[in-house]
Amino acid sequence: MSRITVFGAAGKAGSRVVAEAAARGHQVTAVARTLDKLTALPDGAQTAAADATDLESVARLAKDADVLVLTVGGPDAALYTDAVATAASAVRNLGPAGPRILHMGGGAGLLTEQGVRFFDAPGFPEEFKPYAIGQIRALDAYLALDDGVTWTYLSPPPVHFAPGERTGHYRTGLDRPVLGDDGQARISYEDYAVALVDEIENPRHLNRRFTVGY
């Protein structure tokens, strides 16, 4: 059993990570900026109000965690790098006993068959650029960290990522999307949560990015 603290637990991905981890018997703390956003939590899940960019509150929660899961997001690109810096500082200050970081990344930084980031490919939607820029910078921030912080950055597919069904099945890749028989990369939020909790239980991608799809 791991002690898992999920920031952004009120969101579509974060709530599913909380549910998946709790269903497997982990000790889960669901974190949101305000407690009234945390509804329909699974039995046994604890709650906490905290800001993922506030070092004092993140450090307080990190002391009692084995893993910090960051599923925060928004149109402010700085949010992502601020959250990385805050979590990394909290972990580093705890020394070798500090938790790992699992980051819900973005798909726009994955590479096309031509080796170009989806973000840089023609036709990338303008409305998604602030989110994509933030997540790309977040990965760069992780890659620049020293060995005192252990992290994993899990990218969903670039396009087809939505609430759906939990099948418990998925395939993994590294810097390119995992394509199905139709040539598209897809995953449900539910199976993304399965993959993330699997990585918590059996770490295979320490200090690097990976991605999942059917």
Side-chain angles (χ1 to χ4, degrees):
M1 183 183 73
S2 294
R3 299 170 299 168
I4 302 171
T5 298
V6 182
F7 290 87
K12 287 185 288 188
S15 61
R16 286 163 173 82
V17 171
V18 168
E20 180 69 26
R24 300 195 198 186
H26 295 289
Q27 180 180 320
V28 184
T29 300
V31 184
R33 286 175 180 266
T34 59
L35 292 179
D36 60 357
K37 293 183 178 180
L38 296 170
T39 59
L41 290 173
D43 291 343
Q46 303 176 26
T47 61
D51 183 338
T53 64
D54 177 71
L55 180 56
E56 182 178 354
S57 58
V58 174
R60 171 173 47 84
L61 291 167
K63 286 190 305 181
D64 299 317
D66 300 309
V67 182
L68 301 180
V69 180
L70 301 183
T71 64
V72 298
D76 179 4
L79 168 64
Y80 301 89
T81 48
D82 287 349
V84 174
T86 302
S89 293
V91 169
R92 191 180 292 110
N93 290 342
L94 289 170
R100 284 188 287 147
I101 302 171
L102 265 289
H103 183 102
M104 176 186 166
L110 294 170
L111 303 179
T112 67
E113 292 181 0
Q114 293 74 36
V116 175
R117 294 184 307 189
F118 280 85
F119 178 80
D120 299 316
F124 189 86
E126 287 292 328
E127 64 268 27
F128 296 138
K129 283 189 174 181
Y131 304 85
I133 290 170
Q135 288 285 27
I136 288 169
R137 290 175 179 169
L139 178 58
D140 289 342
Y142 282 116
L143 292 169
L145 291 176
D146 58 33
D147 292 338
V149 179
T150 302
W151 57 271
T152 299
Y153 181 106
L154 175 52
S155 287
V159 179
H160 301 292
F161 182 42
E165 172 184 6
R166 183 194 187 283
T167 70
H169 300 290
Y170 60 88
R171 294 178 294 134
T172 64
L174 295 176
D175 297 320
R176 297 177 188 268
V178 178
L179 304 181
D181 293 338
D182 62 355
Q184 298 294 315
R186 307 175 189 276
I187 199 80
S188 68
Y189 276 94
E190 287 77 5
D191 283 330
Y192 178 93
V194 171
L196 191 147
V197 178
D198 283 349
E199 180 69 21
I200 290 174
E201 294 180 344
N202 298 292
R204 295 189 299 149
H205 302 91
L206 297 179
N207 293 351
R208 73 157 305 146
R209 182 221 347 236
F210 79 107
T211 186
V212 290
Y214 293 126

